């Protein structure tokens, strides 16, 4: 039986906070008054105003409980019922227009309980509006329920005084069993979610992060829901325990409950028809439309959910889009794209610049005894059409998977690889460095488009989108060793030979000096798949050369940013190299921001020992790391340079640098040639051309290759690089 609590009508709108939770000397409005920042000097209604209100079919439990601004027109309030303490801003004979919605200023056809209403609002057909504070020029039209409870948390994972800790809202990221759960909070960054979910063995760290979250929010009961200036809400069903920023636009939503919706004049958030959002944080400038369901979630800035997308127990990073898909228990870094109705992603950490194609099922087929599998993919993860993957799996940066069911767990350590099923020979086939040879256009475009789409209003955190960066360079360095080892093993096995040199040394000698012999080898990789079938590497010579080529190019590109404080460029380089680490530092992608592992370990220690005391201080640390990123990346490049040249700083010579410079210029030319070549395929492929009657029609549809704005932009960057290289050559050759 439903328990109906009956109270006198005169108490409706009062007793919002249980007296047990009101501090001594305070009343139930003390938090409301703190929230209501209006400078308006409210007054009581005059007898004439009350008469006008009654004549307009309004009622109140007590007209003395209603206060209004000096500029208040009672004729603009009609057919409303008021209960509790009400404050109304100025109402003037105006109408507001927004997206073809034209409504007169005023309050009409609504039941309003204990609310503060801003200046010149439009409120019409609100069946139940309770304990809400609105800003100025707000439009609220046709809403069934707009209310707040005394224990509202607005999507933040905290508990109010007197609540059972069991009511906390957790996000169970990266794993379905809750072993990596974190508390969502307003302002949470992808880096926060990653650090908190990753280091589960550090109990002190976890304790501190939960403490920071609790300290970030007031645990007192009695906060009202808020709606910011110029926000427009129309034709919605239920909006409960919501904190909504300025300039938001919400239309036709079914349910918004326990939620913060961040919005501003610079980054307006919009929510459309049929959406249901519960227990979450929506970032600035987000777009959420057409039947979206999101529960226990955080959305970063400038992200989108569309066309029936489902986002559950997940964090969606900045500048991302999910449409027609289902995402569960996942942590997605900035720049994630996922479309088409049958794409599925579960229990994964996808580290940005990613794109899931139609039919992809990532992590759906659990092969363990419990739903505790995980998948981690570094930047640039692109599973192709109808790819199915198992937990647990790991993918190096810019892995692309060809269509197919991958029946066993995968451990792909070689970056920029194409992974496919060799069904004819029942083998896993990996082509390392695939992107460099066959689709450098798409790879380069990926690095260019994400900065162009970065809609964050706050860019103090530097998100790395370049495919050549410390993380991928380190992966390629490790990839060289893997290729050398596999090649050495294949040679020794084929020739049944033995050598005093290491296996990797044998492979290195072959790859550097005898590519023809390498071509004759069947090169296998151990540990890439949890199965008995072999994993075969293809195009090993090409991959090895391209890894080397691009590592050296990266080093020279960073060298060009050196700004000596003297005229002796070479000696300045040597002194800078002496300060760099002898071995290239390890870098970690922390929410899209690349951080040195050493720095990350130190900040974790500072959190645990109390030197860092809040999320705000952690975020400030991110900002400081972003400021020094350029210098840190240069130091990394110098360390890599010394390693690949196998020399010390003092052994660097003018001739070595000039040789590297010439090679880098050739690589830059090669990169542009590969980009043009991979795009030209689309204009030459007969199966693409067959749908056009002539070349003119094709160019009208596809555009002319020579007019491609992306290629034109890269050509300008190529000229800039060549100019910098030429100036450095002049500097080095001066006597």
């Amino acid at each position: 039986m439903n328990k109906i609590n009956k109270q006198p009508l005169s108490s409706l709108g009062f007793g919002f906070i249980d007296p047990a939770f009101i501090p001594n000397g305070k009343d139930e409005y003390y938090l409301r008054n703190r929230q209501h920042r209006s400078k308006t000097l409210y007054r009581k209604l005059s007898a004439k105003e009350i008469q006008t209100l009654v004549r307009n079919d309004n009622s109140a439990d007590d007209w003395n409980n209603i206060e209004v601004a000096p500029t208040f027109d009672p004729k603009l309030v009609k057919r409303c019922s008021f209960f509790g303490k009400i404050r109304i801003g100025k109402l003037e004979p105006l109408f507001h227009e927004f997206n073809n919605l034209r409504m007169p200023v005023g309050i009409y056809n609504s039941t309003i309980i204990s609310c503060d209403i801003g200046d010149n609002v439009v409120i019409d057909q609100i069946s139940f509006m309770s304990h809400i504070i609105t800003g100025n020029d707000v439009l609220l039209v046709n809403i069934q329920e707009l209310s707040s409870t005394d224990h509202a948390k607005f999507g933040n994972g905290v508990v109010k005084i007197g609540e059972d800790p069991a009511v906390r809202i957790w996000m169970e990221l990266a794993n379905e069993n809750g072993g990596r759960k974190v508390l969502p909070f307003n302002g949470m960054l992808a880096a926060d979610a990653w650090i908190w979910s990753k280091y589960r063995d550090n109990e002190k760290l976890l304790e501190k992060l939960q403490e920071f979250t609790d300290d970030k929010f007031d645990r007192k009961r009695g906060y009202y829901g808020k709606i910011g200036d110029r926000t427009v809400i129309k034709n919605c069903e239920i909006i409960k325990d919501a904190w909504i920023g300025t300039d938001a636009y919400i239309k036709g939503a079914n349910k918004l409950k326990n939620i913060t919706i961040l919005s501003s004049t610079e980054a307006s958030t919009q929510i459309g028809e049929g959406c249901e959002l519960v227990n979450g944080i929506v970032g600035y400038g987000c777009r959420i439309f057409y039947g979206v369901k999101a529960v226990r979630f955080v959305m970063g800035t400038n992200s989108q959910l569309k066309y029936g997308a489902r986002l559950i127990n997940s964090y969606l990073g900045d500048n991302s889009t999910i449409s027609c898909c289902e995402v569960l228990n996942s942590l997605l870094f900035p720049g994630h794209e996922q479309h088409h109705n049958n794409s599925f992603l579960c229990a994964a950490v996808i580290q940005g610049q990613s794109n899931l194609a139609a039919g992809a099922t990532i992590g759906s087929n659990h092969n363990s005894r419990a739903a505790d599998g995980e998948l981690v993919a570094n930047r640039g993860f692109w599973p192709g059409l109808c790819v199915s993957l198992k937990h647990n799996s790991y993918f190096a940066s810019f892995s692309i998977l060809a269509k197919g069911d991958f029946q066993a767990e995968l451990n792909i350590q070689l970056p920029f690889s194409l992974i496919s099923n060799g069904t004819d020979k029942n083998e896993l086939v990996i082509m390392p460095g695939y992107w460099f040879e066959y689709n450098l256009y798409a790879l380069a475009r990926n690095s260019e488009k994400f900065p162009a789409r970065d809609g964050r209003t706050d860019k103090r955190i530097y998100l790395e989108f370049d495919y050549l960066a410390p993380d991928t360079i380190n992966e390629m360095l490790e990839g060289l060793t893997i290729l050398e080892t596999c090649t050495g093993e294949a040679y020794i096995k084929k020739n049944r030979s033995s050598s005093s040199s290491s296996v990797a040394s044998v492979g290195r000698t072959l790859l550097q000096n005898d590519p023809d012999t390498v071509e004759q080898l069947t090169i296998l990789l151990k540990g890439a798949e949890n199965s008995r079938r072999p994993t075969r590497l293809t195009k090993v010579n090409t991959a090895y050369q391209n890894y080397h080529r691009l590592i050296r190019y990266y080093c020279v590109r960073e060298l060009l940013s050196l700004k000596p404080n003297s005229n002796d460029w070479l000696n300045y380089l040597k002194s800078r190299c002496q300060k760099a680490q002898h071995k290239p530092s390890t870098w970690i992608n922390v929410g899209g921001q690349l951080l040195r592992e050493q720095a990350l370990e130190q900040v974790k220690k500072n959190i645990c020992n109390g030197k860092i005391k809040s999320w705000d201080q952690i975020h400030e640390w991110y900002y400081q790391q972003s400021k020094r990123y350029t210098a840190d990346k240069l130091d990394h490049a110098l360390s890599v340079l010394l390693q690949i040249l196998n020399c010390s700083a003092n052994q660097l010579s003018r001739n070595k640098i000039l040789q590297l410079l010439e090679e880098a210029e050739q690589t830059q030319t090669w990169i542009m040639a590969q980009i043009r070549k991979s795009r030209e395929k689309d204009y030459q492929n007969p199966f693409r051309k067959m749908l056009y009657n002539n070349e003119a029609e094709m160019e009208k549809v596809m555009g002319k290759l020579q007019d491609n704005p992306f290629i034109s932009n890269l050509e300008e960057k190529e000229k800039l690089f060549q100019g910098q290289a030429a100036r450095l050559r002049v500097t080095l050759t001066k006597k």
Side-chain angles (χ1 to χ4, degrees), residues 43 49 123 155 181 313 396 402 433 454 532 687 697:
R43 60 176 176 81
E49 287 172 330
I123 294 179
K181 64 182 181 180
N313 265 315
D454 188 356
R532 294 182 179 179
F687 285 89
E697 181 189 355

Side-chain angles (χ1 to χ4, degrees), residues 559-615:
L559 277 182
L560 294 177
S561 66
L562 268 178
K563 292 181 172 55
N565 50 17
S566 68
N567 292 326
D568 195 335
W569 190 94
L570 185 59
N571 278 334
Y572 180 78
L573 170 64
K574 291 180 179 180
S575 64
R576 187 66 186 263
C577 284
Q578 287 170 343
K579 296 177 183 177
Q581 294 184 5
H582 177 68
K583 181 181 178 182
S585 55
T586 301
W587 288 70
I588 300 176
N589 185 349
V590 181
Q593 178 181 11
L594 297 187
L595 297 174
R596 293 170 297 121
E597 183 181 43
Q598 183 180 6
L600 182 60
E601 289 301 315
Q602 186 58 52
V603 79
K604 286 161 52 184
K605 290 178 182 177
N606 289 345
I607 292 170
C608 294
N609 63 27
K611 290 182 179 179
I612 289 180
K613 304 179 185 298
S614 68
W615 282 114

Side-chain angles (χ1 to χ4, degrees), residues 679-692:
R679 183 56 174 153
E680 282 171 354
K681 293 175 186 175
D682 295 330
Y683 289 82
Q684 298 166 351
N685 186 335
F687 285 89
R688 295 200 65 164
K689 296 174 69 174
M690 69 182 179
L691 299 179
Y692 308 106

Side-chain angles (χ1 to χ4, degrees), residues 350-478:
I350 309 296
Q351 297 189 356
Q353 293 172 265
S354 39
N355 197 326
L356 268 64
T361 50
I362 310 302
S364 63
N365 44 355
H366 297 287
N367 55 317
S368 64
R369 294 170 182 82
D372 55 4
E374 300 181 14
L375 182 145
V376 174
N378 292 352
R379 291 195 293 139
F381 180 58
W382 293 341
L385 294 169
C386 300
V387 162
S388 179
L389 297 173
K390 278 192 171 185
H391 291 132
N392 289 344
S393 288
Y394 170 85
F395 297 91
S397 297
F398 295 95
S399 293
I400 181 170
L401 290 99
K403 177 179 178 179
D405 291 328
F406 292 86
Q407 299 285 327
E409 303 94 323
L410 298 175
N411 181 16
I412 307 301
Q413 300 287 336
L414 292 164
F416 303 100
S417 292
L418 170 65
I419 301 106
S420 56
N421 272 318
T423 54
D424 54 335
K425 296 181 180 179
N426 189 27
E427 60 186 5
L428 182 70
V429 181
I430 300 176
M431 186 189 299
Y434 158 83
W435 291 105
F436 307 136
E437 273 307 297
Y438 296 99
N439 202 350
L440 196 49
Y441 176 89
L443 187 63
R445 181 175 176 272
N446 182 278
S447 293
E448 293 287 321
K449 74 180 181 181
F450 284 109
R453 296 176 182 178
D454 188 356
R456 295 175 298 154
T457 55
D458 182 355
K459 297 182 180 180
R460 286 178 292 175
I461 291 179
Y462 183 86
L463 300 178
E464 180 61 88
F465 295 121
D466 196 327
Y467 64 90
L468 297 180
D471 58 338
T472 54
I473 295 300
N474 284 352
E475 285 181 307
M476 284 195 282
L477 287 170
E478 294 170 5

